[in-house]
Amino acid sequence: MTQQNFQRARSAEAKAQRYNDLLKAAACVLDQEGIDGLTLKAIASRAGIVKSNIYRYFETREAILVELLLFDFVELIEKLDMQITDEMPSAEIALLLSENFASRPRLCELMSQIAPTMEKNISIECVRDFKRTLVAEAAQASAVLQKGLPWLDAEEAMNVFFSIHVFVAGLWPITNPPKILQQLYEEPEFAPLKYDFTPSLTGLIMAHLVGLEAIKKA
């Protein structure tokens, strides 16, 4: 599609398609250029529309980012729901969770940006809708986790996912540093500062789950 042949979506179906097309365009830009390169101009160029038309569907760049986060999080929950069918050891759950997050770098990047960046340039109506949907999806994720760890109650399972969010948000930028730091960490003197995301996240989740289980049994 080019900017010249753009036509305004009229029907509800057409508007929904345009909304999804913009999300896909944003996802492509984010995957290729990173969050710093995700501008409304870049999204419009990828979608083949003029920048002003984006405002018919999203109020800001950050409103697009939170929608992408929700999309990726829902996809992760659906995958976990297929993988967790019965009770599992905490260590296996920890590895499964960390591998699922690691396989979704865009989600991890967005989770690391949500507090410092993504929630600062959206209206209260937008953030309310986002948080309402996020809470509902987190409840679904908690129910999935309880299948594998039935000793968790609903509130505890929800808190586990909150902790995972904190772990991911902190680990992702540390384990995916700028190129200058990647180069530095190759030097033996600074090698101890180099961390891998998946094993680090697995260890944090495992320690958290084992600790919770020990507390409940005490």
Side-chain angles (χ1 to χ4, degrees):
M1 180 187 292
T2 65
Q3 292 182 5
Q4 285 72 28
N5 65 19
F6 172 82
Q7 294 182 350
R8 184 182 301 179
R10 300 290 184 181
S11 68
E13 182 178 353
K15 289 179 180 178
Q17 183 61 53
R18 182 63 46 74
Y19 180 92
N20 290 330
D21 288 344
L22 286 171
L23 282 181
K24 290 178 181 178
C28 288
V29 174
L30 183 58
D31 291 343
Q32 294 179 7
E33 306 295 335
I35 200 161
D36 291 337
L38 186 72
T39 64
L40 292 182
K41 181 179 180 181
I43 296 170
S45 177
R46 178 61 62 99
I49 65 173
V50 295
K51 176 182 171 181
S52 60
N53 282 314
I54 294 179
Y55 294 110
R56 299 180 186 277
Y57 303 90
F58 300 98
E59 59 182 39
T60 62
R61 179 190 83 130
E62 287 70 25
I64 297 175
L65 290 173
V66 297
E67 286 299 317
L68 287 175
L69 186 151
L70 286 172
F71 179 87
D72 288 346
F73 186 50
V74 169
E75 184 181 72
L76 180 142
I77 296 168
E78 292 173 346
K79 182 67 176 294
L80 286 173
D81 193 26
M82 293 187 292
Q83 294 173 320
I84 302 175
T85 58
D86 205 349
E87 186 171 0
M88 299 171 61
S90 294
E92 291 184 18
I93 289 287
L95 180 59
L96 186 63
L97 287 166
S98 63
E99 288 178 341
N100 270 277
F101 278 99
S103 68
R104 293 167 175 78
R106 184 174 64 213
L107 174 60
C108 295
E109 175 71 15
L110 292 172
M111 290 172 68
S112 73
Q113 293 291 330
I114 184 171
T117 303
M118 290 163 55
E119 295 178 340
K120 290 186 176 180
N121 190 31
I122 52 179
S123 66
I124 190 169
E125 291 80 10
C126 183
V127 78
R128 182 184 293 115
D129 290 341
F130 167 60
K131 293 294 188 180
R132 183 176 289 133
T133 304
L134 185 62
V135 168
E137 295 301 336
Q140 178 62 30
S142 300
V144 171
L145 185 60
Q146 285 180 282
K147 289 194 300 179
L149 302 173
W151 50 268
L152 288 173
D153 63 29
E155 182 178 0
E156 290 167 339
M158 179 80 81
N159 287 337
V160 167
F161 270 99
F162 174 77
S163 297
I164 292 174
H165 172 84
V166 174
F167 297 155
V168 171
L171 277 175
W172 187 254
I174 293 172
T175 54
N176 293 272
K179 289 184 178 180
I180 188 68
L181 287 181
Q182 293 178 27
Q183 181 180 348
L184 183 70
Y185 294 162
E186 293 304 317
E187 299 176 14
E189 179 184 358
F190 301 103
L193 300 178
K194 183 178 180 180
Y195 291 90
D196 292 327
F197 180 77
T198 304
S200 298
L201 181 59
T202 301
L204 287 172
I205 298 174
M206 188 185 305
H208 188 58
L209 293 177
V210 170
L212 282 175
E213 191 171 12
I215 290 171
K216 294 204 73 171
K217 291 179 177 180

